[in-house]
Amino acid sequence: MTATSPTPQPRLLARVPISVRWRDMDAMGHVNNAKYVSYLEEARVRWMQGVPGVSMSDRIAPVVAATNVNYRAPIVWPNDIVVELFVERLGNSSVTIGHRILDQKDERILYSDGNVVVVWMDTQTGRSAPLPDAIRAAAA
């Protein structure tokens, strides 16, 4: 039998606590599926705002190219969650950000996981642009 090395853990970018709001609920008594995407957006924006040298209003700006959300368990109100973001892949003009939504009190409870591909683009030409050095450094 040969020994295998453990799979390296992805680089954690951020852990963002979020309080579930009553208005996030749907008629079924749990958080509406679209709100999960809002929680992910909130966490990504908070992370990016914390990266020195990055502005959301520069000519070269991030846009979401793809979103993958796996719904693992319903979130109910009242509740506090934490969104974890980590790097899955760094490209020339994009970063694939993995995510997990966990219960703040019991992080064994996984509400959601998946990833989002964020591409940097030139807002004047609509073409992709190189990943900013500050993002590459923060995500490497």
Side-chain angles (χ1 to χ4, degrees):
M1 182 181 257
T2 59
T4 59
S5 58
T7 304
Q9 293 298 314
R11 174 156 160 45
L12 186 66
L13 297 174
R15 285 179 49 86
V16 178
I18 297 175
S19 290
V20 175
R21 299 164 302 213
W22 174 253
R23 69 176 178 227
D24 296 347
M25 307 302 287
D26 64 15
M28 301 298 293
H30 51 70
V31 170
N32 181 278
N33 64 301
K35 290 296 181 181
Y36 286 63
V37 176
S38 293
Y39 298 154
L40 300 175
E41 175 187 49
E42 178 72 20
R44 273 193 323 277
V45 169
R46 287 191 201 178
W47 169 67
M48 284 186 217
Q49 286 182 326
V51 175
V54 172
S55 171
M56 303 297 282
S57 59
D58 287 344
R59 177 178 172 172
I60 306 301
V63 295
V64 173
T67 302
N68 173 39
V69 179
N70 302 306
Y71 301 95
R72 304 294 184 186
I75 303 172
V76 296
W77 182 90
N79 206 338
D80 291 306
I81 59 173
V82 63
V83 178
E84 290 185 340
L85 302 178
F86 51 91
V87 177
E88 286 189 350
R89 181 184 172 278
L90 278 173
N92 293 326
S93 61
S94 67
V95 59
T96 302
I97 300 173
H99 55 80
R100 297 184 334 144
I101 299 176
L102 307 166
D103 190 280
Q104 261 188 40
K105 293 181 190 95
D106 184 354
E107 292 189 6
R108 294 173 299 176
I109 301 173
L110 174 66
Y111 294 117
S112 172
D113 60 8
N115 58 42
V116 175
V117 178
V118 180
V119 176
W120 269 258
M121 65 172 271
D122 184 317
T123 59
Q124 292 182 4
T125 67
R127 295 182 186 267
S128 65
L131 196 63
D133 290 339
I135 292 293
R136 186 171 298 284

